[in-house]
Amino acid sequence: MTTVLFALLLSLPAIAADCPKNQPKTGAALITLENSWADALSRKDADTVACMLATEFEEADVDGSLHTRAENLAKIPNRKPGVNHLSEMRAYVDGNFGYARGLATLVDASGKVVARVRFTDVFTYRDGRWQALAGHESLLSEASR
């Protein structure tokens, strides 16, 4: 029951978190948001990530599985120590729609590269801030690392 309640609470909009307001509608703002997202994951900061994900957020993971907003937020506290280094960042904005694409290099606590993931995140501008609607990740093969 506790797990169900926790997942339900995570699926609600981030009311308690101090979510940003009046973000600019620019590609640079989306790139800044992606870097903040990566930093929040490294810190295991689910509240910050919750501000970035729309309630209907869904992600296609590297193995093809789909994960809801609640599922994504629930796994953050259990992440292994390490950081995501973002590169090759590009973003596009058209009104209240935007997307960001880049390469995340996941580095463990010892400094070893454990994965390189190409990603695309789709955003909507809602309530004065960018919120991710959907994400897609593709694991790069050993040969491309």
Side-chain angles (χ1 to χ4, degrees):
M1 179 71 172
T2 303
T3 304
V4 172
L5 181 60
F6 183 66
L8 178 63
L9 289 173
L10 288 176
S11 68
L12 298 174
I15 296 168
D18 189 19
C19 297
K21 294 286 184 191
N22 302 317
Q23 292 177 319
K25 292 184 180 182
T26 64
L30 290 180
I31 291 173
T32 297
L33 182 65
E34 288 287 357
N35 282 301
S36 296
W37 191 345
D39 290 343
L41 290 175
S42 297
R43 294 188 319 272
K44 300 181 182 185
D45 182 354
D47 288 339
T48 295
V49 176
C51 285
M52 299 173 189
L53 305 183
T55 55
E56 65 272 36
F57 177 80
E58 191 170 64
E59 179 178 53
D61 208 342
V62 296
D63 64 1
S65 60
L66 297 175
H67 302 282
T68 66
R69 177 183 192 268
E71 291 167 338
N72 271 278
L73 294 173
K75 64 184 177 183
I76 291 173
N78 300 318
R79 289 177 56 89
K80 293 180 182 175
V83 295
N84 294 309
H85 296 288
L86 303 186
S87 62
E88 300 180 25
M89 295 298 299
R90 292 180 183 80
Y92 175 80
V93 170
D94 185 2
N96 289 333
F97 164 82
Y99 70 84
R101 179 175 291 137
L103 178 66
T105 302
L106 288 71
V107 180
D108 69 14
S110 71
K112 178 184 174 197
V113 173
V114 293
R116 288 172 30 106
V117 177
R118 177 84 52 205
F119 67 90
T120 302
D121 293 316
V122 178
F123 295 89
T124 188
Y125 195 83
R126 188 186 290 161
D127 300 327
R129 61 192 168 94
W130 288 106
Q131 297 177 43
L133 292 169
H136 186 271
E137 299 180 342
S138 298
L139 183 64
L140 298 182
S141 67
E142 283 291 326
S144 56
R145 289 187 198 176

